[in-house]
Amino acid sequence: MPFRVAARTILELGAELISSDGIALYELIKNGIDAGSRRVRIDVEVALTRTAYEALDEEMATHPGGLVAARETVLEAAPLDAAEAAALAGRLAEARDVAGLRQAFREWYVERNLIRVSDTGHGMSVEDLRQVYLTVGTRSRLREKERMAEKGGAPPPLGEKGVGRLSTMRLGDHLLVRTSKAGQERLNELVIDWTRFDHASDALLDEIELEAREAARKPDPATSGTEVVIGGLKADWSAAKLAAIAGDEFARLVDPWAPRTADRILRLSYNGERVEIPVIDPDFLKRAHGFCRADFDLVDGEPVLTGRVDYQLRKKEKGFRLGAAELVSTAGVRSPSLLRSLGPFSMEMWWFNRGLLNAKNGYPDSTELKREIARWAGGLMLFRDGYRVNPYGGAEDDWLELDKSAFGARGYKLNRQQVIGRVQVSWRNRGLLDQTNREGLVATPERGALIALLRHVLLTQFKQFIETEDKAARVEERSTLDTIAERVESAEADIRAKISEIERTLPSGQRAMARQASKLVDELVHYVDEAKDLGDQYADDRAQLVYLAGVGLMVEFVLHELDRATFGTLRTLKDLDPARLDKAAAAAVRILTDQLETLNKRVANLEALGTVRRQTKSDFDVVELVARTVSAREGEAGRHHVALAGNFRSTAARWRIKAVPGMFVQIVDNLLANALYWLKQQVLVESGFAPRLTVEVDPVAGLVTVTDNGPGVDPAMAEEIFQPFVTRKPAGEGRGLGLYISREVAHNQGWRIDLLREEAVRPGRYNTFVIDLSGSART
């Protein structure tokens, strides 16, 4: 039995798939662009609003005075100019009863309240109207897109799902399509009265006859194009509404940074009056406080993300580059194949610090500037082949969760109201699929990877950079406490000498004032000394807090191992075969022994970080403690087939120092954890990769080095990775505190930790961390 659809289902489908009047017009514009038209016109003609029409229609239906009285009431109440009132009176005069009066009124409303969308594209034949336009969900655009994709060259059509024509039923009750191809002598017409698809109708779709036909002759057979006339508008339209859609929707319809902006592609009018489409002013963007650009591409088949941050307010800039292993980690994916499927994209972002936009900071036109920012801000707009993917970057959309991150964080906030920018993708990004209702992208893994990479650029590369530079600027601009103390100390003697001189010249009865001034100087010096003590105390407390934070990270590592051991133990016990208990028990004991040995090593390292010992210096052998710390990671290394190398197992060399052993364990273990993490990422992206971790101890030079053959660190980030909250790991995998805490702990002990500036493993990357313990006394 063939599948049959109720006619009212079409109305429901149009209402659900096309979510707003702006989206509906956007779909019709895309049809014109896909037809090859260089310009699309939209003319809105309104003689009477929908609200007024429905009120008057209800008045006619219920008027107690009969036909003549109802007609006169409508003509008097309708807010029309003289010409329209005369036209309506002539139409209503032909009615013979109230039902005819209402029908005549409806016909007049359909004809005089309309939206006309016209283009000069290649047009359609009668057969196209029958086989394509009247077939909802046709794949003709998709097939055309696939053909063009195979050939390459120009971008394929914007549409592909064949549902754009449903936008006409959202906008109005009546549809007239006039179209023709070049060379055809006649126009081709299609007329649809959508009220025949009424929600109360039980008619099946194939029971409603819709016929495309040839119509009047064309003035010039060489012309082509399509005119879509939507009558009987379902919503109230005004010049203000069309202007709002022009500013909120159409201004962003086309990439406003591209040569063909929306105002060059579209022409809008309301009752014959031109409605302007705003364009972005390049000079306005030059006044941004910060700028960021990033490009994601495939280089020799491998994903690479490069970019630049320009903090124009501080005149500081930096570049960044992430390779395949870092991108797999940042995007939170398991394989670079997903990133290849995502495809190339680029992004640009201009950032305004709205708090600085005032006359005091050199912005006499701050009101106008803020108005322009408000027009274009909203986050990053997404454009495919130069045309916007709604609703990204709109007033109500936070697809990158910038506001959520900003308002959930302390300190400086990067939110959508400060950001103007774009992301550019193309039809080649096949993993980024438009939703059928044109409200964003389908939730594919590629979409998730795109969002993760964009958030990394905005929140890690850009936001953290400007916060770091702001802190550095505040340090430079603000006098330090030591400087203030020195100034007070140098001025104290002069002040006291002046006071003594004044006291000697004063009569004895007035010398109490001088003594009071001397007391004030004493209090000032006392306050400065107290401030210095507080500063020293703060430094001590800060060192302890940093240390405790490091202990917290170590506890996380141990809990992870405990979880693995517990899970493995339970699984082993569950797999025991009661019939072979003796043999199975022996095997289980061996497995449990191995797991407990690993756990004991981890606990032994944690014990060195206990509350009692965390600030206690003691003699310890560096080589022995390195060997024990590495040994605690042997299980993890073995599970991931990481070869451990180096002289850390040497028993011949002895190197004893007096320091806090727990602090040393904390630093070494953090470097090992980082190395193992990045080696696991490199395994995902490099076929045949043999991960290797090398730990070397040099007692003579006082150095411990940790080297891995993973992705390494971009030289541009060699110092930045030691800043707090800088991480290349996805959310939940890292907090960006490990290296920062390690450096703080090292500084507290008189040690140094740094990244060796040598490209010894991978070209253009640094792979070795150095712990310099030469500042510790040997025992």
Side-chain angles (χ1 to χ4, degrees), residues 21-283:
D21 291 342
I23 295 293
L25 289 177
Y26 182 26
E27 291 300 315
L28 296 174
I29 293 166
K30 288 203 302 186
N31 285 345
I33 293 170
D34 283 346
S37 181
R38 294 188 59 82
R39 177 168 292 174
V40 177
R41 290 188 59 93
I42 298 178
D43 300 297
V44 180
E45 299 176 12
V46 174
L48 190 69
T49 65
R50 181 77 183 200
T51 299
Y53 162 73
E54 290 177 346
L56 291 171
D57 183 58
E58 179 68 18
E59 177 73 16
M60 283 189 287
T62 59
H63 199 286
L67 173 63
V68 176
R71 181 168 55 223
E72 291 177 354
T73 299
V74 169
L75 291 173
E76 290 175 2
L80 303 173
D81 58 31
E84 283 294 349
L88 177 58
R91 185 68 64 88
L92 298 183
E94 300 175 2
R96 295 293 175 261
D97 52 31
V98 172
L101 189 71
R102 294 180 67 196
Q103 178 62 27
F105 187 41
R106 177 184 182 272
E107 292 173 355
W108 171 86
Y109 178 76
V110 168
E111 294 174 6
R112 295 299 300 122
N113 298 271
L114 55 86
I115 296 174
R116 181 181 291 104
V117 182
S118 53
D119 67 66
T120 56
H122 50 61
M124 291 178 282
S125 65
V126 170
E127 191 65 21
D128 292 333
L129 288 173
R130 290 171 179 166
Q131 300 299 323
V132 178
Y133 202 86
L134 282 176
T135 305
V136 177
T138 179
R139 309 296 279 175
S140 61
R141 290 290 190 205
L142 180 59
R143 288 192 291 270
E144 183 180 351
K145 177 176 285 192
E146 291 172 345
R147 286 195 300 270
M148 295 185 69
E150 293 175 358
K151 295 179 180 178
L158 301 175
E160 63 176 44
K161 301 181 187 302
V163 298
R165 69 217 60 169
L166 297 180
S167 59
T168 62
M169 70 176 63
R170 176 191 173 86
L171 295 172
D173 291 329
H174 193 272
L175 171 65
L176 167 64
V177 181
R178 289 195 185 98
T179 183
S180 72
K181 291 177 169 291
Q184 291 184 329
E185 295 185 356
R186 291 182 177 273
L187 294 171
N188 307 306
E189 282 190 355
L190 173 67
V191 177
I192 301 177
D193 182 354
W194 294 117
T195 60
R196 298 175 66 192
F197 296 73
D198 189 83
H199 291 275
S201 171
D202 291 324
L204 296 174
L205 190 59
D206 57 3
E207 295 174 356
I208 298 178
E209 184 178 350
L210 299 172
E211 182 59 33
R213 60 183 180 81
E214 288 188 347
R217 288 184 175 274
K218 294 193 304 185
D220 182 0
T223 60
S224 64
T226 299
E227 180 182 65
V228 176
V229 182
I230 303 160
L233 301 182
K234 291 184 176 181
D236 289 345
W237 283 82
S238 64
K241 174 175 178 173
L242 186 58
I245 292 177
D248 297 339
E249 301 282 349
F250 294 162
R252 300 166 184 246
L253 164 68
V254 181
D255 186 344
W257 290 270
R260 287 193 72 205
T261 53
D263 69 308
R264 298 188 180 185
I265 293 175
L266 298 179
R267 282 293 181 269
L268 307 180
S269 74
Y270 181 84
N271 285 344
E273 295 292 327
R274 175 81 178 272
V275 175
E276 298 290 340
I277 301 175
V279 295
I280 201 163
D281 182 0
D283 291 333

Side-chain angles (χ1 to χ4, degrees), residues 414-696:
L414 176 75
N415 58 59
R416 293 190 302 120
Q417 284 64 46
Q418 299 169 306
V419 170
I420 299 171
R422 62 174 173 175
V423 180
Q424 294 173 289
V425 300
S426 74
W427 57 272
R428 294 179 177 87
N429 299 91
R430 301 187 183 183
L432 303 178
L433 306 174
D434 290 350
Q435 292 194 54
T436 303
N437 65 357
R438 303 303 198 264
E439 289 294 314
L441 301 172
V442 177
T444 62
E446 289 85 354
R447 173 183 176 272
L450 173 68
I451 291 175
L453 295 181
L454 291 173
R455 283 179 55 81
H456 172 82
V457 173
L458 294 177
L459 300 179
T460 300
Q461 298 296 344
F462 181 81
K463 178 175 177 285
Q464 290 183 5
F465 178 69
I466 63 175
E467 287 180 339
T468 300
E469 293 302 327
D470 280 345
K471 290 176 184 177
R474 286 195 292 269
V475 169
E476 292 178 1
E477 295 166 359
R478 187 180 302 162
S479 297
T480 66
L481 187 60
D482 289 339
T483 302
I484 294 173
E486 289 173 3
R487 290 176 180 174
V488 171
E489 185 178 349
S490 63
E492 180 186 359
D494 290 340
I495 294 172
R496 291 188 186 280
K498 292 292 183 185
I499 292 175
S500 297
E501 183 179 341
I502 293 171
E503 186 177 5
R504 287 193 299 270
T505 61
L506 290 173
S508 58
Q510 299 179 4
R511 290 177 182 176
M513 295 177 60
R515 287 194 291 274
Q516 183 65 29
S518 182
K519 281 186 178 181
L520 291 173
V521 173
D522 290 340
E523 290 182 10
L524 175 62
V525 173
H526 174 70
Y527 291 150
V528 172
D529 288 341
E530 280 191 341
K532 289 183 67 177
D533 290 340
L534 287 172
D536 293 340
Q537 183 180 347
Y538 166 77
D540 292 339
D541 291 344
R542 178 173 178 267
Q544 292 185 34
L545 287 172
V546 167
Y547 191 81
L548 288 174
V551 173
L553 293 179
M554 289 290 289
V555 169
E556 287 191 44
F557 297 151
V558 174
L559 288 176
H560 177 71
E561 292 294 332
L562 278 170
D563 181 67
R564 287 191 59 87
T566 304
F567 178 79
T569 301
L570 290 173
R571 184 174 58 186
T572 301
L573 292 175
K574 288 179 180 179
D575 290 341
L576 287 175
D577 184 357
R580 304 175 59 190
L581 183 59
D582 293 339
K583 292 183 179 179
V589 167
R590 286 196 298 272
I591 294 173
L592 291 173
T593 300
D594 292 341
Q595 292 177 337
L596 289 174
E597 284 180 354
T598 298
L599 186 58
N600 285 335
K601 293 173 185 176
R602 301 293 296 148
V603 172
N605 284 338
L606 184 63
E607 191 272 336
L609 300 174
T611 304
V612 176
R613 299 182 58 186
R614 67 171 179 258
Q615 297 292 354
T616 304
K617 289 187 176 183
S618 62
D619 291 343
F620 65 89
D621 189 299
V622 173
V623 179
E624 179 183 334
L625 201 51
V626 168
R628 189 170 64 177
T629 306
V630 176
S631 178
R633 289 282 178 180
E634 282 183 333
E636 181 181 359
R639 288 194 300 272
H640 298 284
H641 310 291
V642 176
L644 295 175
N647 66 350
F648 64 90
R649 293 190 180 90
S650 173
T651 56
R654 283 290 175 260
W655 173 16
R656 299 191 68 83
I657 63 174
K658 187 171 185 179
V660 180
M663 287 190 171
F664 178 68
V665 168
Q666 182 176 313
I667 295 171
V668 174
D669 195 70
N670 179 259
L671 295 181
L672 295 175
N674 283 346
L676 289 168
Y677 176 86
W678 289 110
L679 287 170
K680 287 184 280 187
Q681 303 306 306
Q682 192 65 33
V683 167
L684 297 176
V685 302
E686 184 177 338
S687 177
F689 174 66
R692 186 179 184 86
L693 175 57
T694 304
V695 181
E696 295 284 348

